[in-house]
């Protein structure tokens, strides 16, 4: 009988869900029976990718976000009691699921309450240090409190330099739990395709900031002379495609569509979420990053890559078409050729 592994990505944008796609595929390839648990857009996206698997809806964290950078962190901190309550609820749900479905192992991507004392439980994160400005020590300590409830932590990055996450996923001196660096996780593969689009806009992340950037980019790119593919990152029931002047507009793309689109685009404009960084690094793309205002993680990732001369970035309010002139001073990513050793990682569930 196949061992059942519960895979549970956080519904915080869609990055946690998309980087679980190669893990789910690897579980299937290695003879496991993955069961997917999440909520919202993350759950809907994975249903479109794996319609034959079993899905479970977990309690939502229901986090709301600020329209301004300055209030982003404090609004999030004020919601900590609500988040803690959601974590406690999902922990009770997980206890029931493990018993009723006979779960043999758990892989949680940033869902703090998805673990069990009775089966091996893995936590996936690229943030061993949770940056939050003056409160970084506090946010990291809160993260560690939940992290130590798991048996292992898998970091989707390389242990040594060069790496993608910088100090987010490294300089971790506390012996909280075993850490395994598993390399870059991406659902995408490099393809040699002729360029079709001069620019591909790839949006993602929570509202209202996703929508604010969508509006900003449409306004700024209207005067661009070239073909633009615009993916809004809105996971809806049906895929919608619209052509408007130089724009080809999608509400969302599945993995196959996205792979072809990225490989046939000269430049990508996007947020600097870590999953996007991994995807673009895997494909060796040129990009321009606009981090979500107030998200210290995205701001750090974008600034770190800019300092290395790889990808330029700017604040959302400062973006204009002229910013793209800076691209000539940056190298873009070099395509990565790396395969995660899933067979070794999955041995945890065979004990």
């Amino acid at each position: 009988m196949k061992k059942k592994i519960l895979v549970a990505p956080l519904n915080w944008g869609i990055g946690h869900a998309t980087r679980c796609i190669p893990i789910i595929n690897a579980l299937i390839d290695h003879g496991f029976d993955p069961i997917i648990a999440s909520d919202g857009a993350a759950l809907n996206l994975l249903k479109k990718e794996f319609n034959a698997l079993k899905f479970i809806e977990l309690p939502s964290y229901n986090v709301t976000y600020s329209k301004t950078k300055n209030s982003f962190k404090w609004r999030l901190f004020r919601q900590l009691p609500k988040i803690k309550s959601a974590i406690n609820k999902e922990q009770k749900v997980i206890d029931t699921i493990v018993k009723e479905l006979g779960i043999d192992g758990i892989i949680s991507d940033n869902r703090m309450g998805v673990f069990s004392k009775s089966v091996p439980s893995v936590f996936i994160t690229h943030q061993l240090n949770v940056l939050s400005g003056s409160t970084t020590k506090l946010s990291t300590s809160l993260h560690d409190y939940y992290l130590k409830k798991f048996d292992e932590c898998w970091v989707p990055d390389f242990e040594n330099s060069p790496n993608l996450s910088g100090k987010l996923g490294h300089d971790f001196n506390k012996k909280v739990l075993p850490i395994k660096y598993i390399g870059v996780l991406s659902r995408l593969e490099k393809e040699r395709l002729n360029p079709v689009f001069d620019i591909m806009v790839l949006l993602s992340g929570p509202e209202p900031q996703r929508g604010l950037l969508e509006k900003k980019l449409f306004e700024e790119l209207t005067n661009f002379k070239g073909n633009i593919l615009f993916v809004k990152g809105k996971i809806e029931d049906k895929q919608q495609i619209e052509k408007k002047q130089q724009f080809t507009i999608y509400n969302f793309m599945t993995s196959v569509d996205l792979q072809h689109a990225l490989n046939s685009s000269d430049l990508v404009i996007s947020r600097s979420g870590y999953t996007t960084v991994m995807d673009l690094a895997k494909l060796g793309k040129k990009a321009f990053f606009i981090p979500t205002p107030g998200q210290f993680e995205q701001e750090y990732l974008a600034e770190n890559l800019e300092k290395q001369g790889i990808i330029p970035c700017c604040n959302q309010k400062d973006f204009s078409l002229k910013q793209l002139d800076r691209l000539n001073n940056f190298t873009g990513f070099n395509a990565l050729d790396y395969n995660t050793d899933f067979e070794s990682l999955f041995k945890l569930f065979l004990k």
Side-chain angles (χ1 to χ4, degrees):
M1 182 179 294
K2 293 182 178 180
K3 286 185 174 289
K4 297 178 181 178
I5 309 298
L6 189 73
V7 181
L10 181 66
N11 178 35
W12 191 308
I14 58 174
H16 296 284
T18 57
R19 73 184 186 190
C20 282
I21 290 173
I23 294 176
I24 296 166
N25 280 323
L27 285 167
I28 295 169
D29 291 342
H30 286 80
F32 293 92
D33 180 14
I35 296 171
I36 301 172
S38 190
D39 67 286
L43 188 64
N44 291 336
L45 182 144
L46 291 173
K47 283 181 177 179
K48 295 178 188 299
E49 296 284 340
F50 301 100
N51 56 18
L53 296 182
K54 182 176 179 61
F55 291 85
I56 298 169
E57 186 167 3
L58 294 177
S60 174
Y61 286 23
N62 285 322
V63 176
T64 56
Y65 304 91
S66 171
K67 287 186 177 180
T68 63
K69 173 178 177 176
N70 292 337
S71 61
F72 186 95
K73 177 176 71 173
W74 300 114
R75 182 165 185 166
L76 197 59
F77 265 91
R78 286 197 297 270
Q79 295 177 83
L80 285 178
K82 180 172 71 172
I83 295 172
K84 185 176 185 298
S85 175
I87 290 171
N88 291 337
K89 287 179 182 177
E90 74 178 358
Q91 221 300 291
K92 292 177 181 177
V93 170
I94 293 303
D95 282 342
T96 301
I97 292 172
V98 169
K99 292 175 184 176
E100 291 186 352
L101 298 184
I103 299 297
D104 298 292
I106 291 173
I107 300 174
S108 167
D109 190 325
N110 273 260
R111 294 196 83 113
M112 301 293 189
V114 181
F115 66 90
S116 173
K117 294 179 181 179
S118 61
V119 300
S121 301
V122 173
F123 191 80
I124 297 177
T125 186
H126 62 278
Q127 293 190 79
L128 298 174
N129 297 298
V130 184
L131 303 185
S132 60
S134 60
T135 55
T136 291
K137 188 174 181 179
L138 173 60
S139 55
T140 301
S141 296
L142 289 171
H143 190 256
D144 289 351
Y145 171 78
Y146 288 103
L147 199 60
K148 65 185 180 182
K149 298 178 184 293
F150 292 79
D151 298 296
E152 286 184 2
C153 178
W154 295 352
V155 179
D157 198 2
F158 304 105
E159 183 171 6
N160 302 310
S161 186
N163 57 65
L164 296 177
S165 65
K167 67 181 180 182
L168 287 174
H170 298 82
D171 304 323
F172 189 68
N173 297 319
K174 300 176 289 300
K175 301 294 183 182
V176 176
L177 82 171
I179 305 294
K180 291 184 178 179
Y181 289 88
I182 65 174
V184 168
L185 283 179
S186 176
R187 55 181 164 157
L188 308 176
E189 296 294 338
K190 179 74 173 175
E191 296 177 311
R192 298 194 178 278
L193 301 176
N194 293 325
V196 176
F197 299 100
D198 299 287
I199 293 177
M200 177 177 179
V201 173
L202 182 60
L203 296 186
S204 61
E207 299 291 0
Q209 292 298 338
R210 190 214 60 80
L212 292 172
L213 182 57
E214 177 187 322
K215 183 174 183 293
K216 174 85 170 176
L217 289 176
F218 269 124
E219 290 173 353
E220 295 294 337
L221 296 176
T222 297
N223 295 321
F224 178 77
K225 306 301 181 185
N227 293 324
I228 301 173
L229 175 60
F230 204 108
V231 183
K232 294 182 177 182
K234 298 176 72 172
I235 310 301
E236 297 172 327
D237 291 339
K238 292 183 179 180
Q239 187 181 68
Q240 297 178 4
I241 306 170
E242 177 186 1
K243 290 189 180 294
K244 185 178 180 182
Q245 297 173 321
Q246 73 269 44
F247 294 94
T248 301
I249 306 165
Y250 282 70
N251 53 345
F252 71 91
M253 282 185 167
T254 60
S255 295
V256 173
D257 290 339
L258 186 63
Q259 178 171 298
H260 292 331
L262 284 167
N263 278 293
S264 59
S265 299
D266 282 332
L267 169 70
V268 179
I269 299 176
S270 70
R271 295 297 194 195
S272 50
Y274 190 64
T275 299
T276 301
V277 170
M278 288 194 292
D279 286 341
L280 298 183
K282 176 81 177 290
L283 301 181
K285 300 302 297 182
K286 282 184 171 290
F288 191 99
F289 284 145
I290 307 171
T292 301
Q295 281 202 14
F296 287 88
E297 168 215 356
Q298 288 195 16
E299 291 172 346
Y300 167 76
L301 287 169
E303 290 165 6
N304 187 42
L305 290 167
E306 182 171 78
K307 286 178 183 177
Q308 296 178 62
I310 299 173
I311 305 292
C313 68
C314 74
N315 294 328
Q316 184 166 299
K317 64 181 178 60
D318 296 330
F319 180 80
S320 67
L321 192 55
K322 191 169 180 57
Q323 287 277 1
L324 301 185
D325 293 342
R326 299 169 53 211
L327 285 158
N328 292 329
N329 300 319
F330 293 82
T331 63
F333 286 113
N334 292 319
L336 296 174
D337 184 15
Y338 180 85
N339 293 313
T340 299
D341 186 0
F342 285 114
E343 184 175 357
S344 178
L345 292 172
F346 295 160
K347 286 180 180 177
L348 178 68
F349 307 125
L350 299 175
K351 295 178 180 177

